[in-house]
Structure formats: C-alpha cells, structure tokens
Amino acid sequence: MKQLTSFIKKEFYHIFRDTRTLIILFGIPIAQLLIFGTVIKSEINDVKVAIYDQSKDDFTKRITNKLLSSGYFMLEEYLESTNDVEDIFRKGEVKEVIVFEGGFEESLIKEGKANIQLIADASDPNLGRLAINYTRAIINDFIKEEFPEMQMPYEIEPTARMFYNEELKSVYMFVPGTMAMILMLISAMMTSIAITREKEVGTMEILLVSPLKPIHIIIGKVTPYLLLSVINAVVILLIGHFVFGVPIQGSAILLMAESILFIMMALSLGILISTAAKNQMVAMFISLVALMLPTILLSGFIFPIDNMPTVLRWLSVVMPARWFIEILRDIMLKGSGVLFVWKETAILFGMMLFFILASVKKFKIRLE
Amino acid sequence: MSNKKTKINFPPWGETPERERGLFVNNILKSYKDVAALKGISFEVQKNELFGLIGPDGAGKTTLMRILTTLLLPDSGHVTMDGADVVKNYKTIRKSIGYMPGRFSLYPDLSVEENLQFFATVFNTTVKKNYGLIKDIYSHIEPFKKRLAGRLSGGMKQKLALSCALIHKPKVLILDDPTTGVDAVSRREFWEMLKNLQKKDITIMVSTPYMDEASLCDRVALIQSGKIMDVDTPDAIVQKFGRKILAVKATETYRLINDLRGHHKAEAVYAFGQYIHFTAIDDDIEVTEMEQFLKNKNHQSIIVEEIVPGIEDVFMGLMKAPPSLP
C-alpha cells in the first residue's frame, strides 16, 4: 500500500512539473469546449428564404409570420410561379423556398391535411438539412398550437433531436460529444504516454526489477489521471450548464457515476495502448489517429449515426464514445434514470473489463 | 526422464549447494531473431566477490546482465542467484538484487531526494533504515538533494543511481557499464565505493568496456562476440598469457604503426596511449632487433622496451582478430 501511495505521489510530481502535460490536461479541454460550443454551431441564423404562396389565406400567412419572426429565417422575396424557384436558387442568396399548395386552409380544415413543399439549396448539405429541419419544427409547432387535439397533418418524421430539443439549440448536442471526446483524449492518451515514457526513459527497467507488481504500476499510473479526469468532467459539466445553459434534467449523481465509468474505460484503453506501443510517439499516434478520429466521426458526435452507411453504422457500435454520448443525452436532456441507460452502461462496463483483462494479460513483466 | 522434484536450492546440475555460490551461470544462449547475442555463457561468481565482465561494446554484456536481472529470458541455459532461478523464481530475485542499467534510468523531473525516497518505498524500506549502507556515496550528493536529477552532472547521476540501487540492501548488485560517460576522477572514486560495498556483504557484478578497470576486480570474465574467452583473477589472466610484448614509441606515431604492421614478424600491433604494443609471431623478437628495424626506417627518438603485459594486451591477444586497419 505504501508502495502504491508513493507511486501515485511520484506520478503527481510528473504531472505538475510538466507544463505541457498541465496544458493538455486543463487548458485544451476548456478551450475545446468553448470553441465547439460557440463556433462550430449547427444553428442557423437569418437564412434567406423565398415563399411561393399559392393560397394566400389566413393559415399560410400565419405560418409565414411564425417562420419569419423566429429569427432563423429572413424573407428575400415572394415568388409568383414555380419557374422562379430555380432562378432564385441560381442567384445564390436564397437557401430555402417554401411552397404552399393552393387552397391550403380549405383542405387543412376539411381533410385535415395540407401540403407544404420545402425546397432547400443542398449545395451546402448541412445548412440545407438544418433549414428544412427548422422549418418543419416550426410548422409542427404551429399545427400543435392550432389543433392541440389533432394528429399532425403533415408527413413529417420528427427526429429525437427535434423532439427533445425543440429550440434546436446545437450546443446541447455538442456538450455531451465534446465531453466524451475530451475524456477519451485525456484518459487514454495521457495514460498511454505516461507509461510509455517510463519505457523510453529506461525507468521501466528498474521498476520491473523491483518487487512492484504489474497491478501496482498500472493502478499507480492510472489513479492520478482518474482524479484529474473526474475534475475535468465536472468542469465541463459546469461550463456546459452555466455558460451554455445546457440543462441537466436527470440525476447529477448518476451522471457523475456514468462519467467515471467512461473515464475508467478510457484509462484501461490507454493502458492497453501502452502495452503495444514502444515509445511515446507511437502511443500518441495510436491515441490520436486510431482513437480520436473515429470518436469524432463515428460516435454520432458530429454526424448522425442514422445517416451513416451500413458498414460505418456497424463500426460505430464498437465506439465507446457512442454509448457514452447516448447516456449523456438521455440523462442531461431527457432526464432518464438508470433504468433507461442500463444497456449502454452495461456495454461500457463490458468494454472496460475487456480492456483491463487484455492489458493485464499483455503487460510485460520482462523486456522484449 | 527421471521424475526429479527440482528443489530451488539444489538445481540438478550442481553438486555443491547453490546457496554457497553467489551467482551460477550455466550455458546461456540468447538470440535476437537471426543474431546470436550469447553463444553459451558459463561462469560462477562467488559470494561477496567483485566480479568484472569485460568486453567491448556489442559483446553481449548488456544482454547477459538483463538475463541475470530477470529482464530477459535466455533461449536456453540456467542462471541461479543465491540459489534462486532467474526464470522460475524471478519474484524472489527481484526483491534481493540491486540493478543499475547502462543508461541513466532515474526520474529526471524528480529531485535527488525524491528519487531516493521513491525507490526506497518501492523496495519496501526507508531511506533511514539503510542509510548506513549508502552514506559514503550519498553524502557526496546530499548537498544537492533538492536539485532535479536531470540537472546533475554525469558523476553525480551515477552516484545517485548507485544509491538508489543500494537503498534496499541487495544481496547482489548488478551494474551495467556504470562508468560510461563519467570522468576519470569519478571513475576512480566509484571503484573505491565498490570495494567498500564488497566488505558489506554484497556480491557485485560489474560490466565495463574499460579494460584498465579489470585489474580492480577480484576476478574477471572476458567476453567477446557472445562468448566467454577466459575467467580468472586479473593477475592469473595476465600470467597465463605469457607473451612477450614490446612497447615502442617514436615521434611519427602514425608512420610507426604502419611500419610495425609491415614488419615481417608482426602478429599484433595496437596503440596504447603514446606507446605502440608489438607482439611478434612466436615471440621471436629482441629489443635491439626492433631498434635496428626502426632506425633503418628513419624514425626519430625511438624508445623500445619489453613490458609486462597488461590485461588490455591479453584481451587484444585473446580476441585473435587480425590487426584492424587504422
């Protein structure tokens, strides 16, 4: 036990005496969160739209007003014929055209159904998709207000995102993703580097020729990073909540417990990387390229998993971050309890066990 | 095969109890892929002996040291240390040896004091408890105990590394090239420290490429290309050699070497400091004969002396390599 505490103490010395480590540990996460939260938004503002209203009745006017007063859209002009649609897109200013069918009000009241056509300029696919989603959400909103007892008359598939995030605040989506990414980066990369550094400096040779057991070395290496990562998780949640106003609907304790589970999973992955990597360069390369990029691209953090090709969708199943992001969204935005996230929790737990077993098995008690 | 129950203390090949011996190395083979690093190494180190493993870089010293310290597995052969097998009982051995690797292997971002304390607790002891053992060594660097280990000079790093290797009072101390990159004064001090440690009931095995250090050991093993060429006391090795060596000096050293190599009786010609050591085929050479030879070649201020061979001459002789090109 004394061996272990002295090892942990030594590890803290390493961390606090190296400015670069400190910057990576605390500077980068906060900077990343702020950058992702403010700059890389999937929000839209003042998107220029054109409206072709063939009905010009009370309903279409009210819908138009609601759209234009939302702050997301700005009216460029009213169109007079279908032919104008292509012309106006060619000019490049207008990103979306909203077409109301003739006799809109009539058919809505009589048949309970009316058609709106949304046409987006998909040369910027992301913006196009967002504009359509925003428009749909606003129209749905309008219909719900007007006919609370009625089924929605449009054939619209509301996605989870719209449903739970009616204002479509993108930052809500980015906080869980950024948190998963940062915890992955710090936990996996920093531990793998810390262990390979001992190999590189040559101190591992002395540690091996000592009564220290591999488990002592592993726990000693991991504990400081576990503590620091938990601090990081708390800081991220606090910034998310107080700076970006992300709600925490569910239990904060459950949220922390899940975060600790994810951190431990990432730490064991870091150890596994260190058993395979010969030096710090390789460890860093594996952590960054083989871990970070898939985490960003395949976890559903930036690109929705539902939109992926089947192969990538299958691949995303093995991304630990995917499950963590789902857990975070469930707890933070939906306020789900442990009963709703037990499956994802079990998957993360299984991954952690696998990484621990594999790294204890692969940990070399000798040099090669 | 007989169903022998191998006792740790009595390996099947030994007649005398291994406990009596410090270190027993039996026919060690080790290859890295296609390269054979050790080709059947055998020797014994007595308890409380200061044993030197002498050989040039690349001879296999570090590989052997790593096998002794349980860091590498031999392809075949056995090593027992204080009766414990380095492969099977590696845990026992790791508690009782002190190891100082070839390059500086302490934490550069920890201070002198913190390094020492860390290694003391790792070995389940305290600095206080064994301070007596390291006092002579540590006292040299104690004034700098707050300094980070990475900022120490070469000699001080070496003393700190030795202190850390000794802090748990090991029974066997294994030092891999400890004097590489250390100045001459520190080297001498270092060997004095080793002599003192020997009196404190510690078996010491040290490897070095510096042959002048061989004479400071009780016994030495000469190693070359993964083979042990001789194991004996430095004096006995020199005596056994029994060759006649001429030390030759003249003003133009480079031309002198070339001329000596061109001598029809030349077997080995090596430069040792200012002198050239000359060994003739069948020792068939006289001082006067050599002087005459050099005079004919127009060398100035010629000195030719017959000398008692040193361990370096022996090593060069044993290597049996053809005189290398300059």
Side-chain angles (χ1 to χ4, degrees):
Chain A
M1 198 56 214
K2 231 183 141 196
Q3 288 173 311
L4 196 59
T5 46
S6 128
F7 201 109
I8 294 170
K9 201 169 96 188
K10 178 212 80 155
E11 213 53 44
F12 272 117
Y13 283 143
H14 288 322
I15 295 169
F16 287 117
R17 282 180 191 173
D18 186 18
T19 349
R20 276 181 306 172
T21 310
L22 278 181
I23 291 173
I24 295 178
L25 273 177
F26 293 107
I28 290 181
I30 293 170
Q32 262 180 341
L33 186 66
L34 295 177
I35 291 169
F36 273 120
T38 51
V39 181
I40 311 175
K41 288 179 186 177
S42 57
E43 241 172 79
I44 54 172
N45 276 317
D46 295 343
V47 171
K48 288 187 176 148
V49 294
I51 290 172
Y52 177 31
D53 191 344
Q54 297 169 347
S55 179
K56 294 202 173 98
D57 54 39
D58 185 38
F59 268 97
T60 59
K61 276 178 191 154
R62 274 161 65 196
I63 292 176
T64 308
N65 274 339
K66 194 169 166 66
L67 281 171
L68 297 181
S69 60
S70 67
Y72 302 126
F73 300 104
M74 236 168 75
L75 181 67
E76 184 76 8
E77 63 181 289
Y78 282 106
L79 302 180
E80 292 307 327
S81 86
T82 331
N83 297 334
D84 294 345
V85 173
E86 207 173 334
D87 291 340
I88 202 150
F89 276 139
R90 284 241 174 89
K91 284 182 201 156
E93 287 290 310
V94 169
K95 300 296 175 193
E96 189 189 27
V97 174
I98 299 154
V99 184
F100 295 97
E101 67 171 347
F104 187 89
E105 187 177 0
E106 214 183 312
S107 68
L108 186 65
I109 288 168
K110 282 187 182 155
E111 296 165 35
K113 192 177 174 186
N115 289 319
I116 296 178
Q117 191 183 10
L118 304 176
I119 309 164
D121 174 6
S123 58
D124 180 346
N126 204 32
L127 183 65
R129 186 173 56 83
L130 283 170
I132 297 264
N133 282 344
Y134 274 62
T135 320
R136 279 179 169 178
I138 291 167
I139 293 168
N140 280 348
D141 217 29
F142 173 80
I143 296 297
K144 264 199 259 172
E145 280 166 19
E146 288 297 311
F147 310 99
E149 76 285 353
M150 212 173 122
Q151 287 292 318
M152 265 177 249
Y154 307 101
E155 282 166 23
I156 292 166
E157 295 158 23
T159 59
R161 174 174 178 148
M162 283 191 276
F163 195 85
Y164 292 109
N165 185 9
E166 273 161 313
E167 289 171 65
L168 293 164
K169 283 268 189 190
S170 61
V171 70
Y172 289 8
M173 294 298 108
F174 272 95
V175 166
T178 316
M179 184 158 158
M181 194 183 75
I182 290 171
L183 294 183
M184 195 80 173
L185 173 84
I186 289 179
S187 310
M189 189 171 86
M190 296 310 282
T191 35
S192 63
I193 286 180
I195 296 181
T196 41
R197 183 165 54 197
E198 300 248 4
K199 289 190 197 172
E200 221 173 294
V201 178
T203 40
M204 194 52 115
E205 233 175 298
I206 301 195
L207 293 182
L208 288 177
V209 186
S210 78
L212 279 181
K213 294 192 184 90
I215 195 77
H216 284 146
I217 299 180
I218 290 179
I219 294 178
K221 277 280 167 197
V222 156
T223 313
Y225 289 101
L226 175 63
L227 293 177
L228 296 174
S229 299
V230 170
I231 294 175
N232 254 318
V234 173
V235 170
I236 293 170
L237 287 175
L238 289 180
I239 292 181
H241 189 66
F242 290 108
V243 178
F244 296 112
V246 179
I248 299 177
Q249 306 278 8
S251 141
I253 295 169
L254 179 63
L255 193 61
M256 273 330 287
E258 296 281 0
S259 303
I260 291 172
L261 174 68
F262 181 72
I263 291 168
M264 283 178 30
M265 188 284 313
L267 290 172
S268 8
L269 183 58
I271 300 165
L272 187 62
I273 292 174
S274 74
T275 59
K278 281 207 170 60
N279 54 47
Q280 295 182 64
M281 279 289 290
V282 178
M284 189 123 111
F285 185 80
I286 297 179
S287 313
L288 280 178
V289 177
L291 227 86
M292 286 306 301
L293 288 179
T295 298
I296 295 175
L297 300 179
L298 293 178
S299 64
F301 169 26
I302 292 180
F303 305 109
I305 292 169
D306 295 334
N307 294 355
M308 290 177 189
T310 324
V311 180
L312 292 184
R313 219 179 309 162
W314 276 106
L315 211 56
S316 78
V317 171
V318 297
M319 294 295 139
R322 171 190 170 163
W323 306 109
F324 184 56
I325 291 175
E326 272 181 31
I327 292 174
L328 286 182
R329 286 181 182 172
D330 279 357
I331 296 176
M332 289 170 78
L333 306 181
K334 293 192 211 169
S336 312
V338 69
L339 286 176
F340 287 90
V341 293
W342 71 268
K343 206 177 83 188
E344 288 84 358
T345 310
I347 291 173
L348 282 185
F349 196 78
M351 286 178 167
M352 180 184 76
L353 276 188
F354 171 77
F355 291 138
I356 289 180
L357 285 180
S359 36
V360 167
K361 213 171 154 150
K362 275 201 81 184
F363 192 88
K364 291 174 193 88
I365 51 163
R366 296 190 162 87
L367 297 174
E368 259 185 342
Chain B
M1 291 295 283
S2 61
N3 59 337
K4 57 182 179 240
K5 280 186 182 168
T6 315
K7 267 193 180 176
I8 300 161
N9 294 341
F10 299 92
W13 63 84
E15 286 162 14
T16 43
E18 293 305 316
R19 200 185 285 284
E20 301 296 310
R21 297 174 180 165
L23 189 62
F24 187 99
V25 181
N26 186 36
N27 200 22
I28 290 293
L29 291 169
K30 174 79 187 173
S31 304
Y32 295 108
K33 287 179 185 146
D34 299 334
V35 187
L38 299 176
K39 306 163 184 166
I41 302 276
S42 300
F43 62 86
E44 292 174 42
V45 179
Q46 306 299 321
K47 220 172 178 151
N48 304 345
E49 194 173 24
L50 176 51
F51 189 89
L53 183 67
I54 319 286
D57 291 339
K61 298 191 300 282
T62 299
T63 305
L64 181 58
M65 292 304 217
R66 284 183 169 166
I67 290 174
L68 300 186
T69 50
T70 74
L71 282 172
L72 284 179
L73 292 174
D75 296 340
S76 69
H78 297 271
V79 181
T80 54
M81 198 179 283
D82 236 17
D85 187 281
V86 291
V87 177
K88 278 181 253 162
N89 311 107
Y90 73 93
K91 282 185 184 159
T92 323
I93 287 179
R94 287 180 180 185
K95 281 179 195 146
S96 64
I97 58 167
Y99 172 50
M100 191 173 144
R103 60 189 174 131
F104 179 68
S105 299
L106 299 175
Y107 296 103
D109 53 345
L110 259 55
S111 72
V112 168
E113 207 177 18
E114 286 159 355
N115 264 299
L116 192 65
Q117 252 152 21
F118 172 70
F119 284 104
T121 35
V122 159
F123 280 93
N124 270 325
T125 180
T126 56
V127 176
K128 224 184 221 169
K129 208 165 143 195
N130 289 319
Y131 189 72
L133 189 66
I134 60 161
K135 187 170 172 276
D136 292 344
I137 304 156
Y138 190 62
S139 58
H140 288 112
I141 44 174
E142 204 157 15
F144 312 102
K145 64 182 179 186
K146 298 281 179 210
R147 194 180 285 186
L148 295 186
R151 301 214 182 106
L152 294 175
S153 72
M156 291 202 284
K157 276 181 183 169
Q158 178 209 38
K159 281 172 193 139
L160 176 59
L162 184 61
S163 305
C164 290
L166 280 170
I167 193 65
H168 58 295
K169 197 171 190 327
K171 288 180 200 152
V172 182
L173 182 62
I174 291 184
L175 311 165
D176 188 7
D177 279 359
T179 50
T180 308
V182 174
D183 65 276
V185 179
S186 298
R187 267 170 69 188
R188 201 175 317 129
E189 274 177 10
F190 189 76
W191 278 92
E192 278 162 26
M193 289 170 192
L194 293 189
K195 287 275 178 197
N196 286 331
L197 286 174
Q198 211 190 339
K199 292 173 201 149
K200 292 173 180 163
D201 198 25
I202 296 177
T203 310
I204 303 173
M205 171 143 183
V206 52
S207 77
T208 175
Y210 301 117
M211 288 167 216
D212 54 324
E213 291 179 343
S215 52
L216 300 165
C217 302
D218 293 338
R219 287 194 310 141
V220 294
L222 301 182
I223 183 170
Q224 162 77 12
S225 313
K227 277 184 190 151
I228 298 277
M229 293 182 297
D230 201 358
V231 183
D232 217 325
T233 62
D235 288 346
I237 284 184
V238 172
Q239 270 171 21
K240 265 192 276 182
F241 187 56
R243 298 292 298 265
K244 183 191 248 181
I245 302 238
L246 296 186
V248 186
K249 192 183 169 188
T251 35
E252 294 173 75
T253 315
Y254 182 67
R255 193 162 70 84
L256 179 67
I257 294 179
N258 284 336
D259 285 343
L260 288 173
R261 284 192 177 145
H263 195 283
H264 68 282
K265 286 180 183 172
E267 182 182 311
V269 178
Y270 295 111
F272 283 93
Q274 296 175 305
Y275 286 85
I276 316 293
H277 289 192
F278 181 90
T279 319
I281 299 161
D282 298 330
D283 296 335
D284 179 21
I285 191 120
E286 295 302 326
V287 174
T288 47
E289 186 188 344
M290 179 55 79
E291 276 171 350
Q292 194 55 49
F293 171 76
L294 293 176
K295 268 180 197 154
N296 293 344
K297 296 266 181 191
N298 287 323
H299 281 281
Q300 305 298 313
S301 34
I302 300 164
I303 301 172
V304 179
E305 298 167 327
E306 188 178 335
I307 53 156
V308 181
I311 192 109
E312 290 152 294
D313 297 304
V314 179
F315 195 87
M316 294 299 192
L318 286 170
M319 286 205 315
K320 285 180 190 124
S324 56
L325 296 166

